[in-house]
Amino acid sequence: MGKDVIIACDFPSKEKTLAFLDKFEGKKPFVKIGMELFYAEGPSIVREIKARGHKIFLDLKLHDIPNTVKSAMKVLSSLDVDMTNLHASGAMPMMQGALEGLTRADGTRPILIAVTQLTSTDQETMERDLLIREPIAEVVMHYASNAKTAGLDGVVCSPLEAGKVHERCGKDFVTVTPGVRFADGDVGYQKRVMTPAEANRIGSDYIVVGRPITAAEDPVAAYERCCREFIG
Ligand code: C5P
């Protein structure tokens, strides 16, 4: 599995996104399209960025009955994205349905990863709102393990959890980690952060980086710095 830096294109419109990508000229970074941009622009934004030669992580975090997720994944797969995701809390039949839907007639499919517990959910919220009383670290590892058993390729997790996920699920089980900041940068709303170099040391396969690149004075230089620190 190749290590890479994925830029979170958290922009509200196609115009802003393409103006940002134009700055990269010949370079084609791996980009993440999330709910905001996808719901604003629809599948055409995926086709357009793909046609420009970028790899795409479509971050829509599906969670519904297995049959609905299977059909939805079939549509996402036909958009030719490289990576997509769902909530592991949708349980095993949903994850298996998703894999079936994603798999194309020729046997290929995008990388499928699972969200374990959202980082906005802490122990207290989980116990109070979800009635889950196990320690959150164990819940995360259990969900990662379920994702692996269901045949998924990996999980989205904090860089702090990436090492443990690899210990539990194997080194080929992909870890995609947001919450990355430069040592001299603003932390913003992210609480538990790591530098690209630390994320590399701990074993993240892909880092998802938004504002340290998108809000930088020179986004191309910030992206290149990120790649240097993460990949070497
Ligand atoms: O701007 P920043 O680097 O904080 O962006 C991180 C990206 O990763 C955002 O698109 C955010 O939605 C996403 N993300 C996250 N934490 C998670 C899952 C996804 O920050 N647990």
PDB file of all heavy atoms in Angstrom, residues 7-10 32 34 57 59 61 85 115 117-120 156-158 176-181 187-190 208-214, ligand 1:
ATOM      1  N   ILE A   7      -5.343  15.600   0.220  1.00  0.00           N
ATOM      2  CA  ILE A   7      -5.774  16.958   0.583  1.00  0.00           C
ATOM      3  C   ILE A   7      -7.296  16.981   0.741  1.00  0.00           C
ATOM      4  O   ILE A   7      -8.026  16.608  -0.190  1.00  0.00           O
ATOM      5  CB  ILE A   7      -5.366  17.998  -0.481  1.00  0.00           C
ATOM      6  CG1 ILE A   7      -3.851  17.953  -0.742  1.00  0.00           C
ATOM      7  CG2 ILE A   7      -5.786  19.407  -0.042  1.00  0.00           C
ATOM      8  CD1 ILE A   7      -3.378  18.939  -1.803  1.00  0.00           C
ATOM      9  N   ALA A   8      -7.768  17.415   1.928  1.00  0.00           N
ATOM     10  CA  ALA A   8      -9.216  17.540   2.162  1.00  0.00           C
ATOM     11  C   ALA A   8      -9.695  18.818   1.477  1.00  0.00           C
ATOM     12  O   ALA A   8      -9.413  19.921   1.930  1.00  0.00           O
ATOM     13  CB  ALA A   8      -9.500  17.601   3.658  1.00  0.00           C
ATOM     14  N   CYS A   9     -10.410  18.646   0.364  1.00  0.00           N
ATOM     15  CA  CYS A   9     -10.918  19.805  -0.389  1.00  0.00           C
ATOM     16  C   CYS A   9     -12.260  20.225   0.202  1.00  0.00           C
ATOM     17  O   CYS A   9     -13.308  20.001  -0.386  1.00  0.00           O
ATOM     18  CB  CYS A   9     -11.055  19.456  -1.871  1.00  0.00           C
ATOM     19  SG  CYS A   9      -9.466  19.396  -2.691  1.00  0.00           S
ATOM     20  N   ASP A  10     -12.196  20.817   1.395  1.00  0.00           N
ATOM     21  CA  ASP A  10     -13.424  21.253   2.066  1.00  0.00           C
ATOM     22  C   ASP A  10     -13.808  22.646   1.571  1.00  0.00           C
ATOM     23  O   ASP A  10     -13.677  23.638   2.285  1.00  0.00           O
ATOM     24  CB  ASP A  10     -13.218  21.230   3.590  1.00  0.00           C
ATOM     25  CG  ASP A  10     -13.028  19.812   4.114  1.00  0.00           C
ATOM     26  OD1 ASP A  10     -13.686  18.891   3.583  1.00  0.00           O
ATOM     27  OD2 ASP A  10     -12.225  19.615   5.032  1.00  0.00           O
ATOM     28  N   LYS A  32      -9.512  14.612  -1.259  1.00  0.00           N
ATOM     29  CA  LYS A  32     -10.705  14.100  -0.571  1.00  0.00           C
ATOM     30  C   LYS A  32     -11.868  15.033  -0.859  1.00  0.00           C
ATOM     31  O   LYS A  32     -11.775  16.238  -0.664  1.00  0.00           O
ATOM     32  CB  LYS A  32     -10.467  14.024   0.938  1.00  0.00           C
ATOM     33  CG  LYS A  32     -11.698  13.574   1.713  1.00  0.00           C
ATOM     34  CD  LYS A  32     -11.367  13.269   3.166  1.00  0.00           C
ATOM     35  CE  LYS A  32     -11.557  14.430   4.096  1.00  0.00           C
ATOM     36  NZ  LYS A  32     -12.968  14.758   4.390  1.00  0.00           N
ATOM     37  N   GLY A  34     -15.636  15.691   0.339  1.00  0.00           N
ATOM     38  CA  GLY A  34     -16.530  15.354   1.444  1.00  0.00           C
ATOM     39  C   GLY A  34     -17.967  15.716   1.136  1.00  0.00           C
ATOM     40  O   GLY A  34     -18.313  16.100   0.006  1.00  0.00           O
ATOM     41  N   PHE A  57     -10.626  10.328  -2.896  1.00  0.00           N
ATOM     42  CA  PHE A  57     -11.229   9.676  -1.732  1.00  0.00           C
ATOM     43  C   PHE A  57     -12.581  10.359  -1.533  1.00  0.00           C
ATOM     44  O   PHE A  57     -12.640  11.526  -1.168  1.00  0.00           O
ATOM     45  CB  PHE A  57     -10.324   9.852  -0.516  1.00  0.00           C
ATOM     46  CG  PHE A  57     -10.923   9.493   0.831  1.00  0.00           C
ATOM     47  CD1 PHE A  57     -12.027   8.651   0.950  1.00  0.00           C
ATOM     48  CD2 PHE A  57     -10.358   9.978   2.006  1.00  0.00           C
ATOM     49  CE1 PHE A  57     -12.566   8.318   2.191  1.00  0.00           C
ATOM     50  CE2 PHE A  57     -10.891   9.659   3.255  1.00  0.00           C
ATOM     51  CZ  PHE A  57     -11.995   8.838   3.349  1.00  0.00           C
ATOM     52  N   ASP A  59     -15.522  10.890   0.599  1.00  0.00           N
ATOM     53  CA  ASP A  59     -15.757  10.721   2.038  1.00  0.00           C
ATOM     54  C   ASP A  59     -17.218  11.021   2.358  1.00  0.00           C
ATOM     55  O   ASP A  59     -17.556  12.120   2.792  1.00  0.00           O
ATOM     56  CB  ASP A  59     -14.801  11.690   2.767  1.00  0.00           C
ATOM     57  CG  ASP A  59     -14.952  11.700   4.272  1.00  0.00           C
ATOM     58  OD1 ASP A  59     -15.514  10.739   4.827  1.00  0.00           O
ATOM     59  OD2 ASP A  59     -14.499  12.675   4.901  1.00  0.00           O
ATOM     60  N   LYS A  61     -19.255   8.610   4.118  1.00  0.00           N
ATOM     61  CA  LYS A  61     -19.592   7.889   5.368  1.00  0.00           C
ATOM     62  C   LYS A  61     -20.995   7.285   5.340  1.00  0.00           C
ATOM     63  O   LYS A  61     -21.881   7.652   6.128  1.00  0.00           O
ATOM     64  CB  LYS A  61     -19.476   8.836   6.569  1.00  0.00           C
ATOM     65  CG  LYS A  61     -18.090   9.448   6.758  1.00  0.00           C
ATOM     66  CD  LYS A  61     -18.021  10.251   8.047  1.00  0.00           C
ATOM     67  CE  LYS A  61     -16.668  10.844   8.308  1.00  0.00           C
ATOM     68  NZ  LYS A  61     -16.286  11.923   7.391  1.00  0.00           N
ATOM     69  N   ASN A  85     -15.917   5.370   1.879  1.00  0.00           N
ATOM     70  CA  ASN A  85     -16.032   4.897   3.257  1.00  0.00           C
ATOM     71  C   ASN A  85     -17.475   4.745   3.736  1.00  0.00           C
ATOM     72  O   ASN A  85     -18.428   5.134   3.044  1.00  0.00           O
ATOM     73  CB  ASN A  85     -15.239   5.802   4.212  1.00  0.00           C
ATOM     74  CG  ASN A  85     -15.730   7.246   4.214  1.00  0.00           C
ATOM     75  OD1 ASN A  85     -16.639   7.608   3.484  1.00  0.00           O
ATOM     76  ND2 ASN A  85     -15.117   8.068   5.026  1.00  0.00           N
ATOM     77  N   VAL A 115     -15.275   4.176   9.150  1.00  0.00           N
ATOM     78  CA  VAL A 115     -15.149   5.092  10.279  1.00  0.00           C
ATOM     79  C   VAL A 115     -15.493   4.259  11.505  1.00  0.00           C
ATOM     80  O   VAL A 115     -16.499   3.540  11.502  1.00  0.00           O
ATOM     81  CB  VAL A 115     -16.163   6.255  10.139  1.00  0.00           C
ATOM     82  CG1 VAL A 115     -16.145   7.150  11.367  1.00  0.00           C
ATOM     83  CG2 VAL A 115     -15.899   7.047   8.871  1.00  0.00           C
ATOM     84  N   GLN A 117     -15.352   5.121  15.619  1.00  0.00           N
ATOM     85  CA  GLN A 117     -16.153   6.132  16.322  1.00  0.00           C
ATOM     86  C   GLN A 117     -15.666   7.492  15.841  1.00  0.00           C
ATOM     87  O   GLN A 117     -14.460   7.713  15.733  1.00  0.00           O
ATOM     88  CB  GLN A 117     -15.956   6.041  17.846  1.00  0.00           C
ATOM     89  CG  GLN A 117     -16.732   4.933  18.523  1.00  0.00           C
ATOM     90  CD  GLN A 117     -18.244   5.180  18.529  1.00  0.00           C
ATOM     91  OE1 GLN A 117     -18.721   6.271  18.262  1.00  0.00           O
ATOM     92  NE2 GLN A 117     -18.988   4.137  18.825  1.00  0.00           N
ATOM     93  N   LEU A 118     -16.593   8.378  15.549  1.00  0.00           N
ATOM     94  CA  LEU A 118     -16.196   9.731  15.137  1.00  0.00           C
ATOM     95  C   LEU A 118     -15.343  10.344  16.245  1.00  0.00           C
ATOM     96  O   LEU A 118     -15.603  10.111  17.436  1.00  0.00           O
ATOM     97  CB  LEU A 118     -17.438  10.596  14.923  1.00  0.00           C
ATOM     98  CG  LEU A 118     -18.316  10.226  13.737  1.00  0.00           C
ATOM     99  CD1 LEU A 118     -19.629  11.003  13.795  1.00  0.00           C
ATOM    100  CD2 LEU A 118     -17.597  10.510  12.420  1.00  0.00           C
ATOM    101  N   THR A 119     -14.375  11.171  15.858  1.00  0.00           N
ATOM    102  CA  THR A 119     -13.528  11.787  16.902  1.00  0.00           C
ATOM    103  C   THR A 119     -14.310  12.827  17.703  1.00  0.00           C
ATOM    104  O   THR A 119     -13.860  13.253  18.755  1.00  0.00           O
ATOM    105  CB  THR A 119     -12.263  12.428  16.284  1.00  0.00           C
ATOM    106  OG1 THR A 119     -12.641  13.129  15.107  1.00  0.00           O
ATOM    107  CG2 THR A 119     -11.231  11.394  15.938  1.00  0.00           C
ATOM    108  N   SER A 120     -15.482  13.198  17.212  1.00  0.00           N
ATOM    109  CA  SER A 120     -16.327  14.122  17.986  1.00  0.00           C
ATOM    110  C   SER A 120     -17.077  13.390  19.105  1.00  0.00           C
ATOM    111  O   SER A 120     -17.699  14.013  19.959  1.00  0.00           O
ATOM    112  CB  SER A 120     -17.327  14.810  17.054  1.00  0.00           C
ATOM    113  OG  SER A 120     -18.014  13.835  16.300  1.00  0.00           O
ATOM    114  N   VAL A 156     -10.553   4.746   9.012  1.00  0.00           N
ATOM    115  CA  VAL A 156     -10.143   6.121   9.306  1.00  0.00           C
ATOM    116  C   VAL A 156      -9.907   6.146  10.800  1.00  0.00           C
ATOM    117  O   VAL A 156     -10.744   5.671  11.563  1.00  0.00           O
ATOM    118  CB  VAL A 156     -11.292   7.131   9.031  1.00  0.00           C
ATOM    119  CG1 VAL A 156     -10.812   8.561   9.247  1.00  0.00           C
ATOM    120  CG2 VAL A 156     -11.858   6.960   7.644  1.00  0.00           C
ATOM    121  N   CYS A 157      -8.770   6.660  11.252  1.00  0.00           N
ATOM    122  CA  CYS A 157      -8.548   6.732  12.695  1.00  0.00           C
ATOM    123  C   CYS A 157      -7.610   7.876  13.015  1.00  0.00           C
ATOM    124  O   CYS A 157      -7.015   8.470  12.117  1.00  0.00           O
ATOM    125  CB  CYS A 157      -7.991   5.407  13.221  1.00  0.00           C
ATOM    126  SG  CYS A 157      -6.385   4.951  12.549  1.00  0.00           S
ATOM    127  N   SER A 158      -7.502   8.185  14.297  1.00  0.00           N
ATOM    128  CA  SER A 158      -6.548   9.200  14.726  1.00  0.00           C
ATOM    129  C   SER A 158      -5.144   8.633  14.477  1.00  0.00           C
ATOM    130  O   SER A 158      -4.929   7.435  14.623  1.00  0.00           O
ATOM    131  CB  SER A 158      -6.775   9.474  16.213  1.00  0.00           C
ATOM    132  OG  SER A 158      -5.557   9.643  16.864  1.00  0.00           O
ATOM    133  N   VAL A 176      -6.026   5.510   7.585  1.00  0.00           N
ATOM    134  CA  VAL A 176      -6.141   6.837   6.972  1.00  0.00           C
ATOM    135  C   VAL A 176      -6.378   7.809   8.116  1.00  0.00           C
ATOM    136  O   VAL A 176      -7.360   7.671   8.848  1.00  0.00           O
ATOM    137  CB  VAL A 176      -7.316   6.870   5.976  1.00  0.00           C
ATOM    138  CG1 VAL A 176      -7.471   8.256   5.367  1.00  0.00           C
ATOM    139  CG2 VAL A 176      -7.136   5.815   4.882  1.00  0.00           C
ATOM    140  N   THR A 177      -5.452   8.762   8.303  1.00  0.00           N
ATOM    141  CA  THR A 177      -5.524   9.565   9.520  1.00  0.00           C
ATOM    142  C   THR A 177      -5.583  11.073   9.282  1.00  0.00           C
ATOM    143  O   THR A 177      -4.664  11.657   8.716  1.00  0.00           O
ATOM    144  CB  THR A 177      -4.313   9.231  10.437  1.00  0.00           C
ATOM    145  OG1 THR A 177      -3.102   9.581   9.779  1.00  0.00           O
ATOM    146  CG2 THR A 177      -4.263   7.777  10.792  1.00  0.00           C
ATOM    147  N   PRO A 178      -6.698  11.693   9.731  1.00  0.00           N
ATOM    148  CA  PRO A 178      -6.761  13.156   9.762  1.00  0.00           C
ATOM    149  C   PRO A 178      -6.107  13.660  11.058  1.00  0.00           C
ATOM    150  O   PRO A 178      -5.494  12.873  11.783  1.00  0.00           O
ATOM    151  CB  PRO A 178      -8.265  13.449   9.751  1.00  0.00           C
ATOM    152  CG  PRO A 178      -8.923  12.211  10.234  1.00  0.00           C
ATOM    153  CD  PRO A 178      -7.951  11.071  10.155  1.00  0.00           C
ATOM    154  N   GLY A 179      -6.242  14.945  11.341  1.00  0.00           N
ATOM    155  CA  GLY A 179      -5.666  15.478  12.586  1.00  0.00           C
ATOM    156  C   GLY A 179      -4.171  15.705  12.460  1.00  0.00           C
ATOM    157  O   GLY A 179      -3.423  15.483  13.415  1.00  0.00           O
ATOM    158  N   VAL A 180      -3.716  16.113  11.282  1.00  0.00           N
ATOM    159  CA  VAL A 180      -2.285  16.328  11.053  1.00  0.00           C
ATOM    160  C   VAL A 180      -1.997  17.830  11.021  1.00  0.00           C
ATOM    161  O   VAL A 180      -2.726  18.594  10.395  1.00  0.00           O
ATOM    162  CB  VAL A 180      -1.847  15.655   9.734  1.00  0.00           C
ATOM    163  CG1 VAL A 180      -0.415  15.997   9.390  1.00  0.00           C
ATOM    164  CG2 VAL A 180      -2.038  14.146   9.825  1.00  0.00           C
ATOM    165  N   ARG A 181      -0.965  18.233  11.710  1.00  0.00           N
ATOM    166  CA  ARG A 181      -0.567  19.646  11.739  1.00  0.00           C
ATOM    167  C   ARG A 181       0.951  19.754  11.652  1.00  0.00           C
ATOM    168  O   ARG A 181       1.658  18.879  12.166  1.00  0.00           O
ATOM    169  CB  ARG A 181      -1.011  20.308  13.054  1.00  0.00           C
ATOM    170  CG  ARG A 181      -2.520  20.487  13.174  1.00  0.00           C
ATOM    171  CD  ARG A 181      -3.057  21.476  12.145  1.00  0.00           C
ATOM    172  NE  ARG A 181      -4.489  21.635  12.191  1.00  0.00           N
ATOM    173  CZ  ARG A 181      -5.366  20.953  11.445  1.00  0.00           C
ATOM    174  NH1 ARG A 181      -4.955  20.005  10.611  1.00  0.00           N
ATOM    175  NH2 ARG A 181      -6.650  21.198  11.521  1.00  0.00           N
ATOM    176  N   VAL A 187      -3.422  24.636  15.484  1.00  0.00           N
ATOM    177  CA  VAL A 187      -4.094  23.358  15.702  1.00  0.00           C
ATOM    178  C   VAL A 187      -5.564  23.441  15.256  1.00  0.00           C
ATOM    179  O   VAL A 187      -6.172  22.463  14.836  1.00  0.00           O
ATOM    180  CB  VAL A 187      -3.964  22.947  17.190  1.00  0.00           C
ATOM    181  CG1 VAL A 187      -4.858  21.780  17.510  1.00  0.00           C
ATOM    182  CG2 VAL A 187      -2.512  22.592  17.487  1.00  0.00           C
ATOM    183  N   GLY A 188      -6.169  24.639  15.296  1.00  0.00           N
ATOM    184  CA  GLY A 188      -7.575  24.809  14.906  1.00  0.00           C
ATOM    185  C   GLY A 188      -8.473  24.000  15.823  1.00  0.00           C
ATOM    186  O   GLY A 188      -8.247  23.948  17.027  1.00  0.00           O
ATOM    187  N   TYR A 189      -9.493  23.343  15.244  1.00  0.00           N
ATOM    188  CA  TYR A 189     -10.436  22.592  16.074  1.00  0.00           C
ATOM    189  C   TYR A 189      -9.970  21.171  16.368  1.00  0.00           C
ATOM    190  O   TYR A 189     -10.606  20.460  17.120  1.00  0.00           O
ATOM    191  CB  TYR A 189     -11.809  22.535  15.390  1.00  0.00           C
ATOM    192  CG  TYR A 189     -12.534  23.857  15.431  1.00  0.00           C
ATOM    193  CD1 TYR A 189     -12.632  24.647  14.294  1.00  0.00           C
ATOM    194  CD2 TYR A 189     -13.089  24.320  16.619  1.00  0.00           C
ATOM    195  CE1 TYR A 189     -13.283  25.868  14.336  1.00  0.00           C
ATOM    196  CE2 TYR A 189     -13.739  25.539  16.673  1.00  0.00           C
ATOM    197  CZ  TYR A 189     -13.840  26.308  15.523  1.00  0.00           C
ATOM    198  OH  TYR A 189     -14.478  27.502  15.575  1.00  0.00           O
ATOM    199  N   GLN A 190      -8.883  20.741  15.727  1.00  0.00           N
ATOM    200  CA  GLN A 190      -8.417  19.379  15.975  1.00  0.00           C
ATOM    201  C   GLN A 190      -7.817  19.311  17.373  1.00  0.00           C
ATOM    202  O   GLN A 190      -7.007  20.154  17.748  1.00  0.00           O
ATOM    203  CB  GLN A 190      -7.356  18.975  14.946  1.00  0.00           C
ATOM    204  CG  GLN A 190      -7.874  18.920  13.508  1.00  0.00           C
ATOM    205  CD  GLN A 190      -8.697  17.678  13.215  1.00  0.00           C
ATOM    206  OE1 GLN A 190      -9.037  16.911  14.118  1.00  0.00           O
ATOM    207  NE2 GLN A 190      -9.053  17.483  11.960  1.00  0.00           N
ATOM    208  N   VAL A 208      -4.740  12.658   5.940  1.00  0.00           N
ATOM    209  CA  VAL A 208      -5.713  13.570   5.328  1.00  0.00           C
ATOM    210  C   VAL A 208      -5.437  14.955   5.905  1.00  0.00           C
ATOM    211  O   VAL A 208      -5.534  15.147   7.118  1.00  0.00           O
ATOM    212  CB  VAL A 208      -7.153  13.142   5.661  1.00  0.00           C
ATOM    213  CG1 VAL A 208      -8.144  14.189   5.154  1.00  0.00           C
ATOM    214  CG2 VAL A 208      -7.462  11.788   5.049  1.00  0.00           C
ATOM    215  N   VAL A 209      -5.055  15.889   5.052  1.00  0.00           N
ATOM    216  CA  VAL A 209      -4.669  17.215   5.527  1.00  0.00           C
ATOM    217  C   VAL A 209      -5.533  18.261   4.838  1.00  0.00           C
ATOM    218  O   VAL A 209      -5.582  18.313   3.608  1.00  0.00           O
ATOM    219  CB  VAL A 209      -3.170  17.484   5.240  1.00  0.00           C
ATOM    220  CG1 VAL A 209      -2.728  18.782   5.905  1.00  0.00           C
ATOM    221  CG2 VAL A 209      -2.303  16.321   5.704  1.00  0.00           C
ATOM    222  N   GLY A 210      -6.215  19.072   5.635  1.00  0.00           N
ATOM    223  CA  GLY A 210      -7.063  20.125   5.083  1.00  0.00           C
ATOM    224  C   GLY A 210      -6.418  21.476   5.227  1.00  0.00           C
ATOM    225  O   GLY A 210      -5.538  21.854   4.456  1.00  0.00           O
ATOM    226  N   ARG A 211      -6.837  22.219   6.263  1.00  0.00           N
ATOM    227  CA  ARG A 211      -6.427  23.622   6.405  1.00  0.00           C
ATOM    228  C   ARG A 211      -4.930  23.898   6.405  1.00  0.00           C
ATOM    229  O   ARG A 211      -4.527  24.941   5.878  1.00  0.00           O
ATOM    230  CB  ARG A 211      -7.110  24.226   7.641  1.00  0.00           C
ATOM    231  CG  ARG A 211      -8.595  24.431   7.389  1.00  0.00           C
ATOM    232  CD  ARG A 211      -9.388  24.470   8.645  1.00  0.00           C
ATOM    233  NE  ARG A 211      -9.331  23.194   9.352  1.00  0.00           N
ATOM    234  CZ  ARG A 211      -9.868  22.976  10.534  1.00  0.00           C
ATOM    235  NH1 ARG A 211     -10.480  23.941  11.166  1.00  0.00           N
ATOM    236  NH2 ARG A 211      -9.789  21.782  11.089  1.00  0.00           N
ATOM    237  N   PRO A 212      -4.066  23.016   6.947  1.00  0.00           N
ATOM    238  CA  PRO A 212      -2.628  23.348   6.855  1.00  0.00           C
ATOM    239  C   PRO A 212      -2.172  23.525   5.399  1.00  0.00           C
ATOM    240  O   PRO A 212      -1.179  24.196   5.134  1.00  0.00           O
ATOM    241  CB  PRO A 212      -1.944  22.142   7.511  1.00  0.00           C
ATOM    242  CG  PRO A 212      -2.977  21.607   8.458  1.00  0.00           C
ATOM    243  CD  PRO A 212      -4.303  21.817   7.765  1.00  0.00           C
ATOM    244  N   ILE A 213      -2.926  22.936   4.440  1.00  0.00           N
ATOM    245  CA  ILE A 213      -2.604  23.130   3.023  1.00  0.00           C
ATOM    246  C   ILE A 213      -3.563  24.143   2.395  1.00  0.00           C
ATOM    247  O   ILE A 213      -3.137  25.117   1.776  1.00  0.00           O
ATOM    248  CB  ILE A 213      -2.649  21.787   2.249  1.00  0.00           C
ATOM    249  CG1 ILE A 213      -1.551  20.837   2.762  1.00  0.00           C
ATOM    250  CG2 ILE A 213      -2.494  22.031   0.744  1.00  0.00           C
ATOM    251  CD1 ILE A 213      -1.590  19.431   2.182  1.00  0.00           C
ATOM    252  N   THR A 214      -4.884  23.939   2.585  1.00  0.00           N
ATOM    253  CA  THR A 214      -5.865  24.788   1.869  1.00  0.00           C
ATOM    254  C   THR A 214      -5.824  26.243   2.339  1.00  0.00           C
ATOM    255  O   THR A 214      -6.110  27.152   1.565  1.00  0.00           O
ATOM    256  CB  THR A 214      -7.304  24.243   2.039  1.00  0.00           C
ATOM    257  OG1 THR A 214      -7.596  24.128   3.433  1.00  0.00           O
ATOM    258  CG2 THR A 214      -7.475  22.891   1.380  1.00  0.00           C
TER     259      THR A 214
HETATM  260  O1  C5P B   1      -8.546  21.001   7.996  1.00  0.00           O
HETATM  261  P1  C5P B   1      -8.202  19.682   8.643  1.00  0.00           P
HETATM  262  O2  C5P B   1      -6.785  19.234   8.368  1.00  0.00           O
HETATM  263  O3  C5P B   1      -8.558  19.648  10.120  1.00  0.00           O
HETATM  264  O4  C5P B   1      -9.152  18.660   7.867  1.00  0.00           O
HETATM  265  C1  C5P B   1      -9.242  17.300   8.225  1.00  0.00           C
HETATM  266  C2  C5P B   1     -10.251  16.615   7.356  1.00  0.00           C
HETATM  267  O5  C5P B   1     -10.437  15.306   7.860  1.00  0.00           O
HETATM  268  C3  C5P B   1     -11.640  17.267   7.315  1.00  0.00           C
HETATM  269  O6  C5P B   1     -12.180  17.051   6.008  1.00  0.00           O
HETATM  270  C4  C5P B   1     -12.416  16.503   8.362  1.00  0.00           C
HETATM  271  O7  C5P B   1     -13.794  16.447   8.077  1.00  0.00           O
HETATM  272  C5  C5P B   1     -11.787  15.109   8.238  1.00  0.00           C
HETATM  273  N1  C5P B   1     -11.922  14.271   9.428  1.00  0.00           N
HETATM  274  C6  C5P B   1     -11.450  14.634  10.677  1.00  0.00           C
HETATM  275  N2  C5P B   1     -11.589  13.793  11.744  1.00  0.00           N
HETATM  276  C7  C5P B   1     -12.198  12.620  11.593  1.00  0.00           C
HETATM  277  C8  C5P B   1     -12.684  12.236  10.332  1.00  0.00           C
HETATM  278  C9  C5P B   1     -12.522  13.098   9.267  1.00  0.00           C
HETATM  279  O8  C5P B   1     -10.879  15.691  10.840  1.00  0.00           O
HETATM  280  N3  C5P B   1     -12.303  11.812  12.616  1.00  0.00           N
END
